[in-house]
mmCIF file of all heavy atoms in Angstrom:
data_model
loop_
_atom_site.group_PDB
_atom_site.id
_atom_site.type_symbol
_atom_site.label_atom_id
_atom_site.label_comp_id
_atom_site.label_asym_id
_atom_site.label_seq_id
_atom_site.Cartn_x
_atom_site.Cartn_y
_atom_site.Cartn_z
ATOM 1 N N ASP A 82 -9.099 -6.381 16.235
ATOM 2 C CA ASP A 82 -9.394 -7.063 14.963
ATOM 3 C C ASP A 82 -9.463 -8.570 15.135
ATOM 4 O O ASP A 82 -10.247 -9.239 14.455
ATOM 5 C CB ASP A 82 -8.297 -6.761 13.923
ATOM 6 C CG ASP A 82 -8.393 -5.357 13.397
ATOM 7 O OD1 ASP A 82 -9.394 -4.680 13.710
ATOM 8 O OD2 ASP A 82 -7.465 -4.924 12.669
ATOM 9 N N TYR A 83 -8.614 -9.114 16.005
ATOM 10 C CA TYR A 83 -8.554 -10.572 16.147
ATOM 11 C C TYR A 83 -9.414 -11.062 17.323
ATOM 12 O O TYR A 83 -9.341 -12.226 17.718
ATOM 13 C CB TYR A 83 -7.093 -11.046 16.288
ATOM 14 C CG TYR A 83 -6.345 -11.031 14.974
ATOM 15 C CD1 TYR A 83 -5.877 -9.836 14.424
ATOM 16 C CD2 TYR A 83 -6.131 -12.198 14.255
ATOM 17 C CE1 TYR A 83 -5.216 -9.805 13.198
ATOM 18 C CE2 TYR A 83 -5.458 -12.190 13.037
ATOM 19 C CZ TYR A 83 -5.006 -10.985 12.512
ATOM 20 O OH TYR A 83 -4.327 -10.957 11.312
ATOM 21 N N GLY A 84 -10.212 -10.144 17.884
ATOM 22 C CA GLY A 84 -11.143 -10.547 18.917
ATOM 23 C C GLY A 84 -10.480 -10.963 20.230
ATOM 24 O O GLY A 84 -11.079 -11.706 21.021
ATOM 25 N N VAL A 85 -9.273 -10.481 20.478
ATOM 26 C CA VAL A 85 -8.599 -10.826 21.734
ATOM 27 C C VAL A 85 -9.074 -9.956 22.882
ATOM 28 O O VAL A 85 -9.200 -10.409 24.022
ATOM 29 C CB VAL A 85 -7.066 -10.703 21.550
ATOM 30 C CG1 VAL A 85 -6.329 -10.932 22.864
ATOM 31 C CG2 VAL A 85 -6.566 -11.686 20.481
ATOM 32 N N ALA A 86 -9.350 -8.691 22.580
ATOM 33 C CA ALA A 86 -9.844 -7.761 23.615
ATOM 34 C C ALA A 86 -10.914 -6.866 22.973
ATOM 35 O O ALA A 86 -10.964 -6.735 21.751
ATOM 36 C CB ALA A 86 -8.696 -6.922 24.156
ATOM 37 N N THR A 87 -11.720 -6.251 23.824
ATOM 38 C CA THR A 87 -12.753 -5.329 23.336
ATOM 39 C C THR A 87 -12.303 -3.888 23.627
ATOM 40 O O THR A 87 -11.433 -3.657 24.465
ATOM 41 C CB THR A 87 -14.094 -5.567 24.035
ATOM 42 O OG1 THR A 87 -13.908 -5.278 25.434
ATOM 43 C CG2 THR A 87 -14.564 -7.004 23.865
ATOM 44 N N ALA A 88 -12.952 -2.949 22.951
ATOM 45 C CA ALA A 88 -12.644 -1.533 23.198
ATOM 46 C C ALA A 88 -12.960 -1.177 24.644
ATOM 47 O O ALA A 88 -12.240 -0.377 25.270
ATOM 48 C CB ALA A 88 -13.446 -0.657 22.228
ATOM 49 N N THR A 89 -13.987 -1.777 25.186
ATOM 50 C CA THR A 89 -14.355 -1.514 26.594
ATOM 51 C C THR A 89 -13.219 -1.967 27.511
ATOM 52 O O THR A 89 -12.868 -1.284 28.470
ATOM 53 C CB THR A 89 -15.648 -2.287 26.969
ATOM 54 O OG1 THR A 89 -16.598 -2.090 25.918
ATOM 55 C CG2 THR A 89 -16.211 -1.806 28.287
ATOM 56 N N GLU A 90 -12.640 -3.098 27.201
ATOM 57 C CA GLU A 90 -11.523 -3.592 28.025
ATOM 58 C C GLU A 90 -10.295 -2.687 27.889
ATOM 59 O O GLU A 90 -9.640 -2.374 28.890
ATOM 60 C CB GLU A 90 -11.165 -5.032 27.605
ATOM 61 C CG GLU A 90 -12.215 -6.045 28.041
ATOM 62 C CD GLU A 90 -11.920 -7.463 27.561
ATOM 63 O OE1 GLU A 90 -11.539 -7.626 26.372
ATOM 64 O OE2 GLU A 90 -12.058 -8.391 28.362
ATOM 65 N N LEU A 91 -10.010 -2.254 26.671
ATOM 66 C CA LEU A 91 -8.841 -1.370 26.480
ATOM 67 C C LEU A 91 -9.037 -0.076 27.264
ATOM 68 O O LEU A 91 -8.105 0.443 27.869
ATOM 69 C CB LEU A 91 -8.618 -1.084 24.998
ATOM 70 C CG LEU A 91 -8.134 -2.257 24.143
ATOM 71 C CD1 LEU A 91 -8.054 -1.869 22.666
ATOM 72 C CD2 LEU A 91 -6.751 -2.751 24.603
ATOM 73 N N ASN A 92 -10.267 0.444 27.263
ATOM 74 C CA ASN A 92 -10.542 1.673 28.003
ATOM 75 C C ASN A 92 -10.491 1.435 29.502
ATOM 76 O O ASN A 92 -9.997 2.296 30.262
ATOM 77 C CB ASN A 92 -11.909 2.242 27.616
ATOM 78 C CG ASN A 92 -11.844 2.914 26.250
ATOM 79 O OD1 ASN A 92 -10.814 3.458 25.864
ATOM 80 N ND2 ASN A 92 -12.938 2.837 25.504
ATOM 81 N N ALA A 93 -10.968 0.290 29.933
ATOM 82 C CA ALA A 93 -10.986 -0.020 31.374
ATOM 83 C C ALA A 93 -9.592 -0.361 31.884
ATOM 84 O O ALA A 93 -9.299 -0.231 33.071
ATOM 85 C CB ALA A 93 -11.938 -1.186 31.640
ATOM 86 N N GLY A 94 -8.743 -0.850 30.981
ATOM 87 C CA GLY A 94 -7.400 -1.258 31.401
ATOM 88 C C GLY A 94 -7.385 -2.602 32.090
ATOM 89 O O GLY A 94 -6.411 -2.971 32.743
ATOM 90 N N HIS A 95 -8.466 -3.359 31.954
ATOM 91 C CA HIS A 95 -8.562 -4.681 32.563
ATOM 92 C C HIS A 95 -9.359 -5.628 31.673
ATOM 93 O O HIS A 95 -10.199 -5.184 30.901
ATOM 94 C CB HIS A 95 -9.278 -4.604 33.912
ATOM 95 C CG HIS A 95 -8.378 -4.161 35.015
ATOM 96 N ND1 HIS A 95 -7.426 -4.965 35.585
ATOM 97 C CD2 HIS A 95 -8.278 -2.964 35.627
ATOM 98 C CE1 HIS A 95 -6.786 -4.286 36.522
ATOM 99 N NE2 HIS A 95 -7.275 -3.060 36.552
ATOM 100 N N ALA A 96 -9.106 -6.912 31.843
ATOM 101 C CA ALA A 96 -9.937 -7.913 31.168
ATOM 102 C C ALA A 96 -11.301 -7.935 31.852
ATOM 103 O O ALA A 96 -11.390 -7.880 33.075
ATOM 104 C CB ALA A 96 -9.284 -9.289 31.266
ATOM 105 N N LEU A 97 -12.346 -7.961 31.056
ATOM 106 C CA LEU A 97 -13.720 -8.031 31.607
ATOM 107 C C LEU A 97 -14.352 -9.383 31.303
ATOM 108 O O LEU A 97 -15.431 -9.666 31.757
ATOM 109 C CB LEU A 97 -14.562 -6.885 31.029
ATOM 110 C CG LEU A 97 -14.006 -5.484 31.332
ATOM 111 C CD1 LEU A 97 -14.772 -4.416 30.572
ATOM 112 C CD2 LEU A 97 -14.034 -5.197 32.820
ATOM 113 N N ALA A 98 -13.646 -10.182 30.493
ATOM 114 C CA ALA A 98 -14.138 -11.535 30.189
ATOM 115 C C ALA A 98 -12.900 -12.410 29.954
ATOM 116 O O ALA A 98 -11.849 -11.884 29.565
ATOM 117 C CB ALA A 98 -15.016 -11.519 28.940
ATOM 118 N N PRO A 99 -13.019 -13.697 30.208
ATOM 119 C CA PRO A 99 -11.866 -14.564 29.945
ATOM 120 C C PRO A 99 -11.590 -14.654 28.451
ATOM 121 O O PRO A 99 -12.412 -14.259 27.627
ATOM 122 C CB PRO A 99 -12.300 -15.929 30.499
ATOM 123 C CG PRO A 99 -13.784 -15.856 30.642
ATOM 124 C CD PRO A 99 -14.190 -14.427 30.719
ATOM 125 N N ALA A 100 -10.412 -15.178 28.129
ATOM 126 C CA ALA A 100 -10.057 -15.399 26.706
ATOM 127 C C ALA A 100 -11.102 -16.290 26.055
ATOM 128 O O ALA A 100 -11.674 -17.161 26.700
ATOM 129 C CB ALA A 100 -8.680 -16.035 26.610
ATOM 130 N N LYS A 101 -11.369 -16.042 24.762
ATOM 131 C CA LYS A 101 -12.398 -16.790 24.040
ATOM 132 C C LYS A 101 -12.096 -18.292 24.046
ATOM 133 O O LYS A 101 -12.981 -19.111 24.170
ATOM 134 C CB LYS A 101 -12.493 -16.308 22.603
ATOM 135 C CG LYS A 101 -13.359 -15.086 22.449
ATOM 136 C CD LYS A 101 -13.532 -14.786 20.969
ATOM 137 C CE LYS A 101 -14.227 -13.461 20.757
ATOM 138 N NZ LYS A 101 -14.038 -12.993 19.384
#
Side-chain angles (χ1 to χ4, degrees):
Chain A
D82 287 352
Y83 285 76
V85 174
T87 63
T89 314
E90 288 176 316
L91 290 176
N92 285 329
H95 279 285
L97 301 172
K101 276 187 188 163

